[in-house]
Amino acid sequence: MPKKEQRDEMKKQLSTLDKSLYQMYSSEIERRFLADENVLRASIIGITISDFPEVETENIIKKLWGMGKTVVVPKCVPKDRTMTFYKIESFDQLETVYMHLQEPNPLVTTAVSSNDIDLLIVPGIVYDLSGFRIGYGGGYYDRYLSEFTGHTISLAFDFQVCSLVERENYDIPVDKIITNIKTISCELHRKEVKLDENSL
């Protein structure tokens, strides 16, 4: 199925997600995420401020602060579709920008280089088992990931994961997907697929 169709279909499905199920699923994802080895080892973690029906991240951020982690969130530049991550220590350091998105206020936060981020939480709408994703169409994370060398995790409701998404040459898969039901090692899945292909 073409990317646009998969994206539009999943957007419809997400828009009908019951609020109580949304909270329950998000809580389970949060529990799994905070116990993950990559999270426990990381010092600086990049994550977006979620907006329903994305997996809820505000509680995750609060818990990360409680664990002594440095949290950095992205500010997008629509002109060239790039992002810069800024360290936040309070939600008061955010400002509301276009489309009701919350981003860091650069006047009261400090920019952090991609080289200093240990773990990046990569958003998306649809994912496959190999870690390839369909995002929101802006290409911000595709550009950022092309130079990012740390670990990557995506947080998703289990129904957002399918067997295969359409891929482009520039697509970079994430290392792991954490859902409300399981943790998927995308790196391991890609190795298994490669072994299967080589044995044909």
Side-chain angles (χ1 to χ4, degrees), residues 58-75:
E58 189 172 309
N59 281 333
I60 287 176
I61 291 170
K62 288 176 183 174
K63 297 276 180 67
L64 290 174
W65 282 333
M67 293 164 68
K69 307 294 184 182
T70 296
V71 174
V72 296
V73 297
K75 182 163 186 65

Side-chain angles (χ1 to χ4, degrees), residues 123-173:
I125 296 177
V126 187
Y127 306 86
D128 69 19
L129 297 172
S130 291
F132 289 93
R133 50 181 270 284
I134 297 175
Y136 292 86
Y140 289 95
Y141 276 86
D142 291 322
R143 289 176 177 82
Y144 200 84
L145 288 172
S146 67
E147 297 180 357
F148 182 70
T149 57
H151 293 286
T152 52
I153 292 178
S154 285
L155 308 178
F157 303 119
D158 201 64
F159 61 81
Q160 289 178 271
V161 183
C162 65
S163 56
L164 190 68
V165 300
E166 185 183 4
R167 301 169 187 177
E168 308 284 352
N169 290 333
Y170 54 78
D171 287 342
I172 297 170

Side-chain angles (χ1 to χ4, degrees), residues 37-54:
E37 59 183 355
N38 291 120
V39 177
L40 297 175
R41 283 200 297 257
S43 295
I44 302 178
I45 299 173
I47 189 168
T48 57
I49 306 296
S50 62
D51 186 25
F52 180 85
E54 297 171 320

Side-chain angles (χ1 to χ4, degrees), residues 168-195:
E168 308 284 352
N169 290 333
Y170 54 78
D171 287 342
I172 297 170
V174 295
D175 302 330
K176 194 179 287 185
I177 301 169
I178 296 177
T179 79
N180 49 297
I181 293 176
K182 57 184 175 289
T183 296
I184 301 164
S185 174
C186 303
E187 291 177 299
L188 183 60
H189 187 266
R190 290 195 298 273
K191 286 176 184 174
E192 288 172 350
V193 169
K194 199 166 184 179
L195 284 172

